[in-house]
Amino acid sequence: MEALKGITILDFTHVQSGPTCTQLLAWFGANVIKIERPGGGDITRSQLRDLDGVDSLYFTMLNHNKKSITLNVKDSSGKQVLEDLIKKSDVFVENFAPGTIERMGYGWEEIQKINPKIILASVKGFGPGPYEECKVYENIAQCAGGAASTTGFLDGPPLVTGAQIGDSGTGLHLALGIVTALFQREKSGRGQRVDVAMQDGVVNLCRVKLRDYQRLKSGPLREYSQYGKGIPFTDTTPRAGNDSGGGQPGWILKCKGWEDDPDAYVYFITQAPVWGKICNVIGKEEWLEDSGYSTPEARLDKLEFIFDTIEEWTKTKSKHEVISICDPLGIPCGPILSMKEIANDESLKATGTIVEVDHPIRGKYTTVGCPIKLSDSKADVKRSPLLGEHNDEILSDILNYDDEKINKIKQSEAMK
Ligand code: COA
């Protein structure tokens, strides 16, 4: 049985942050009803389209396993349908701009009056404070959450990362908040608010960078390659290029074919316990006896030279050869994999992390399946809904409206 079977989620989310949250809950078996504006629905249906007139990959890859109902909640019949749905639901999720849900008439006070057991889960860009009214997208969250200032190279501008830590990261945080609130409701019998600000979600993921800011008060960060180059630190965490975030120095190194293949690289970590094996494998046995290299402390001011030397060796091997030599020796390293390699990775396909889905209009496409594996609740990825595909089903099966009522609503402005 699916873990969240029997839980009904009203999914009033759009774009990426909210939809990633409700998609996860749908994978765990919740009945997720996506409410969309009649006409175009979630704006991402028509954004970044690769095929004319077909729901974009942007939309399909974020809205699997959901049902779609079109509803104009500014119309009186639409409001009635929404309120009936709220009475039948466990969770109401939204990620509108600040103040929007209140203007619609469904803020926390109102929604609770309709159903005191409901959980209202919201994503906003910022929590209370000077920016609380701001609209926010992914890269703004990455910048305002501290990630961009610590990403990139020391001599370059701040950089955003390809991983969607602002949107999908916040969706993950929200999903955890929702299941926690559902768990508490088992004992309290009451719903509650779950709020996650995208800035907060990114700050949470930047914990180690806040750690380093505080460590600076005690002196330079000696595991940063900047230290070995003699470049002074300022009073805040610097951009650290490809330095490892932990206490074991690491860097991205070129492999055979790097001149033509932008992804012919490995991430290589000079983990202290396997230093001897690293020296042996790259043919630098003399470093083993040399007091300038034999301890992690001694190596800190020469990391650039050490990695340049290791790279002379990695450049003679493909990235996969480097891994197959280092892995049995316990030397931590990993390949730089392109999206093409990820999409075609047989082991990711075997575990259901990469899946192929068939869509009635688009045809087959590749997407990311559920990355969280529950042994008793298998996540079966089902295609995203067409706009309003489940209008009849929701009105009749969930709300138990009779045919006359259904026809009246469908004729009204609520679904047009
Ligand atoms: N029926 C009637 N009206 C609807 C509706 C429906 N089913 N669905 C949406 N609307 C209306 C809203 O009421 C709102 O109208 P109003 O401003 O007149 O009150 C309007 O559509 C637009 O909604 P909004 O969320 O404000 O969209 P936006 O395009 O202006 O902003 C974001 C988009 C993402 C910037 C904004 O929603 C936001 O900041 N969200 C919070 C942070 C977030 O999640 N960002 C990441 C997105 S990946």
Side-chain angles (χ1 to χ4, degrees), residues 99-138:
T100 304
I101 201 76
E102 288 78 11
R103 278 198 301 281
M104 281 180 183
Y106 300 104
W108 175 232
E109 300 300 329
E110 290 78 19
I111 202 175
Q112 239 192 334
K113 279 184 204 142
I114 302 170
N115 178 357
K117 286 188 78 177
I118 203 152
I119 288 155
L120 172 62
S122 302
V123 170
K124 297 289 164 262
F126 293 93
Y131 306 122
E132 64 186 309
E133 299 301 331
C134 296
K135 287 184 181 174
V136 168
Y137 284 104
E138 171 69 47

Side-chain angles (χ1 to χ4, degrees), residues 275 286-288 290-296 298-299 302 305-306:
W275 175 247
E286 63 269 30
W287 280 355
L288 287 168
D290 185 335
S291 60
Y293 291 88
S294 55
T295 65
R299 295 194 285 273
K302 336 179 168 58
F305 176 67
I306 289 170

Side-chain angles (χ1 to χ4, degrees), residues 12 14-18 35-38 58 71-74 95-98 100 103-104 123-125 134-138 167 198:
F12 221 161
H14 62 160
V15 202
Q16 186 184 163
S17 65
I35 301 168
E36 298 185 78
R37 209 196 318 225
Y58 194 4
L71 211 54
N72 176 1
V73 303
K74 289 181 178 157
N95 69 314
F96 288 115
T100 304
R103 278 198 301 281
M104 281 180 183
V123 170
K124 297 289 164 262
C134 296
K135 287 184 181 174
V136 168
Y137 284 104
E138 171 69 47
D167 279 333
M198 293 168 73

